[in-house]
Amino acid sequence: GAVVSQHPSWVICKSGTSVKIECRSLDFQATTMFWYRQFPKQSLMLMATSNEGSKATYEQGVEKDKFLINHASLTLSTLTVTSAHPEDSSFYICSAMGLAGGRISYNEQFFGPGTRLTVL
Amino acid sequence: GDSVTQMEGPVTLSEEAFLTINCTYTATGYPSLFWYVQYPGEGLQLLLKATKADDKGSNKGFEATYRKETTSFHLEKGSVQVSDSAVYFCALSRGEKLVFGKGTKLTVNP
């Protein structure tokens, strides 16, 4: 299947600092990217949906000024956690969806391996 | 709103045992249903899917049938292998957005 990478795989930061997480589609063009958050023993919760070149659409309850999402190209989306606090510690997962064709099915999402964020 | 409930884990089985992971959903209309698998250190991968009632999704020996009457999509495999050890997520979608269950960790011992 199509490959999605995330960087870094884990990060530790101090409270009050900002952290940027990158999500890349390595072998296809991602028209839509999704950012999820996963708490221990909980399901993945969709945070926002982003389309290349336009503003992200945030789910209810997600602070858009705290979780800045940029989808500047068809292969890269970034999530920046601004002024991070310990309650932002979590596992962040991105996924990407491309145009149907070849090995990519309509509306199929391809997931990155996730980024573990720990805020001290 | 839409939701997915799957059986609590962890599940531990011996090799060649029969596997069932229960999944039920709550949704209006006719969502598509999915099972994703997450191997250690990797991203979620689509295992199988079904898009309408009575459809059976299958892949790598795993099967699940879309049961509208019981709003269920239980995952089954007749004979598990050590390599099947992973976390399994049931999910539904209408359109682009996915709604996930909490995941069930499966460990298969030799």
Side-chain angles (χ1 to χ4, degrees):
Chain A
V3 181
V4 175
S5 70
Q6 279 184 244
H7 178 80
S9 55
W10 59 270
V11 57
I12 301 173
C13 70
K14 292 182 178 180
S15 185
T17 60
S18 295
V19 175
K20 180 184 285 187
I21 302 170
E22 293 186 347
C23 176
R24 293 182 184 273
S25 57
L26 297 185
D27 53 1
F28 69 102
Q29 294 184 325
T31 52
T32 305
M33 286 185 167
F34 305 84
W35 286 95
Y36 296 84
R37 184 172 178 176
Q38 184 180 26
F39 294 99
K41 299 185 179 181
Q42 300 291 321
S43 61
L44 282 73
M45 303 297 296
L46 180 64
M47 299 174 65
T49 303
S50 72
N51 293 295
E52 184 267 338
S54 59
K55 291 184 178 180
T57 302
Y58 290 80
E59 295 298 301
Q60 190 172 9
V62 177
E63 299 177 61
K64 62 181 180 181
D65 294 332
K66 180 165 191 63
F67 298 100
L68 301 179
I69 291 172
N70 183 279
H71 190 169
S73 77
L74 284 172
T75 59
L76 174 65
S77 176
T78 59
L79 167 67
T80 301
V81 183
T82 62
S83 187
H85 291 283
E87 57 265 31
D88 299 323
S89 299
S90 193
F91 195 57
Y92 293 89
I93 301 173
C94 74
S95 71
M97 181 187 300
L99 295 175
R103 62 183 185 282
I104 296 179
S105 300
Y106 172 71
N107 269 4
E108 181 174 358
Q109 295 185 29
F110 299 94
F111 287 82
T115 297
R116 172 76 60 193
L117 170 63
T118 300
V119 185
L120 302 176
Chain B
D2 297 345
S3 66
V4 175
T5 302
Q6 62 182 100
M7 66 185 284
E8 295 282 332
V11 174
T12 302
L13 296 173
S14 297
E15 206 164 22
E16 299 184 1
F18 184 85
L19 169 71
T20 299
I21 301 178
N22 291 336
C23 172
T24 57
Y25 67 91
T26 302
T28 56
Y30 299 90
S32 294
L33 301 175
F34 306 82
W35 277 100
Y36 284 84
V37 58
Q38 185 176 31
Y39 299 104
E42 299 182 15
L44 276 73
Q45 302 173 25
L46 178 63
L47 180 59
L48 53 84
K49 67 179 181 182
T51 57
K52 61 183 187 294
D54 299 325
D55 265 3
K56 177 185 285 188
S58 62
N59 186 25
K60 299 181 180 179
F62 290 90
E63 294 183 340
T65 301
Y66 190 144
R67 301 289 189 196
K68 181 69 176 173
E69 64 276 12
T70 54
T71 61
S72 66
F73 193 54
H74 304 322
L75 182 69
E76 296 181 336
K77 186 174 185 180
S79 176
V80 293
Q81 305 300 312
V82 172
S83 57
D84 293 326
S85 297
V87 180
Y88 293 82
F89 291 89
C90 185
L92 67 81
S93 80
R94 278 180 294 154
E96 293 182 335
K97 295 183 180 180
L98 287 166
V99 176
F100 288 90
K102 292 185 178 181
T104 303
K105 183 176 182 179
L106 169 67
T107 301
V108 180
N109 295 318

